[in-house]
Amino acid sequence: MPRFDGPPTRATWGARCGKSARRVLRGGTGTSDIVARPVPTHHNVQHYLLLEKVARRVQDDDVMRLLKMILKATGKKGVPQGGVVSPLLSNLYLNEVDRMLEKAIQTTRREPYTHVQYARFADDMVILIDSHPRHDWLARAVEQRLREELAKLKVKINEEKSKIVDLAKGGSFTFLGFEYRRILGRNKKWRPHYAPKLKKRTALLAKLKEIFRQNVSQPVERVIEQINPILRGWVNYFAVGDSSECFSFVRDWVEKKVRGHLMRARERSGLGWKRWSRQGLYGKLGLYNDYRLRRPWSLPKVQPAASVT
């Protein structure tokens, strides 16, 4: 719905043209010492507040009636889990929080640096604050204002998942499936490091392992036909940042599973390193092999639709 693509800020992502999860990974505060505050919120959107926000921009009785029916299916509050319109509604519902944080960025800016930055994807948010001691007050002030704005919307912070981490002291946090920390680069300067979190990799391998188990007596071509789309989708999402080491692990694991499947079909032990070359696995059998990284700035930008019919 392009009519809603105006109010969200540059740091708001999800359900917007050209605002995929991977593009969240661009940006930063311009400083090397950062305190990060991941802020997941509970899914307790108040329907009457959301409908008021939509009604300010949509003067269409049919659309409003349909939206009420969609929301009613979730009970007295919240948005449908997995619904196609849910991310858009979450973005719209938290607009005031975005404006508050944008004001904090501008108020504390000291060119060429900003001491506050944030990124929000639907109802998940990370706030970054310069960790210099003179900005201790800023971290407290931003948290207080954030809680005030969320209270107005009757949204509660998920305290179990929300935390404050100091990256300068070796802390790390997770956001959109990635784990973030800071490391000393080759040029002896601190830089952000982000790679797939271990939990995501474990879930992928468990899913692939189940496919191998279910198809233990099937031809290897059928197995590859099933695992290739899963690998392609997972790799395409995580193919940014510092995912190379994780990708190498996944590729080696998958290759060994395929080799083991081939050897079992011939009632032989081992992995057939001499029998099957990598060229045969990836070329002849067509096993997925595109584990290259894509830099965020090289990702194709989605153009918004000219009109909605």
Side-chain angles (χ1 to χ4, degrees), residues 236-253:
N236 282 344
Y237 179 83
F238 287 108
V240 291
D242 303 277
S243 301
S244 296
E245 184 177 349
C246 177
F247 284 0
S248 295
F249 184 94
V250 171
R251 177 181 174 177
D252 290 345
W253 185 93

Side-chain angles (χ1 to χ4, degrees), residues 200-210 249-250 253-254:
K200 294 296 183 180
R201 189 186 76 182
T202 302
L204 169 68
L205 300 187
K207 187 174 185 178
L208 296 177
K209 187 175 182 179
E210 180 63 18
F249 184 94
V250 171
W253 185 93
V254 171

Side-chain angles (χ1 to χ4, degrees), residues 25-212:
L25 306 179
R26 298 179 62 179
T29 64
T31 65
S32 59
D33 298 329
I34 298 174
V35 174
R37 177 69 188 259
V39 189
T41 57
H42 285 305
H43 303 282
N44 54 356
V45 171
Q46 304 298 312
H47 292 173
Y48 73 95
L49 289 176
L50 177 59
L51 291 171
E52 288 178 3
K53 292 173 178 287
V54 176
R56 294 183 193 133
R57 299 184 63 82
V58 175
Q59 286 77 45
D60 189 315
D61 293 339
D62 291 336
V63 172
M64 294 302 298
R65 188 179 302 108
L66 177 60
L67 181 57
K68 289 179 182 179
M69 292 173 61
I70 294 175
L71 294 176
K72 188 176 181 180
T74 66
K76 296 183 178 180
K77 60 183 179 180
V79 294
Q81 290 295 307
V84 294
V85 74
S86 297
L88 174 63
L89 297 177
S90 296
N91 279 345
L92 178 63
Y93 194 73
L94 295 175
N95 273 350
E96 286 78 6
V97 175
D98 293 337
R99 296 192 185 101
M100 179 274 291
L101 290 170
E102 288 292 331
K103 184 177 180 180
I105 292 173
Q106 297 305 320
T107 301
T108 60
R109 180 185 295 275
R110 298 294 182 270
E111 296 293 350
Y113 301 112
T114 58
H115 302 301
V116 178
Q117 277 294 352
Y118 78 101
R120 179 169 69 81
F121 194 91
D123 59 352
D124 287 331
M125 180 189 306
V126 170
I127 302 174
L128 305 175
I129 300 175
D130 191 332
S131 67
H132 193 282
R134 68 171 175 268
H135 295 130
D136 287 347
W137 69 272
L138 187 54
R140 295 190 297 269
V142 169
E143 179 172 6
Q144 179 180 345
R145 287 289 294 115
L146 175 65
R147 291 184 180 277
E148 290 173 356
E149 290 298 328
L150 292 177
K152 295 177 184 178
L153 299 172
K154 302 186 185 304
V155 172
K156 296 180 181 179
I157 294 178
N158 189 333
E159 301 291 352
E160 293 182 358
K161 296 182 179 180
S162 175
K163 62 180 180 179
I164 298 177
V165 298
D166 192 338
L167 301 184
K169 295 180 179 180
S172 65
F173 66 93
T174 59
F175 186 54
L176 300 180
F178 286 84
E179 181 178 19
Y180 297 79
R181 62 179 69 249
R182 77 165 193 165
I183 64 172
L184 197 61
R186 295 179 180 177
N187 59 356
K188 304 303 180 182
K189 293 184 179 181
W190 294 103
R191 72 171 184 86
H193 176 280
Y194 49 97
K197 58 189 295 189
L198 180 59
K199 185 177 180 180
K200 294 296 183 180
R201 189 186 76 182
T202 302
L204 169 68
L205 300 187
K207 187 174 185 178
L208 296 177
K209 187 175 182 179
E210 180 63 18
I211 293 177
F212 279 101

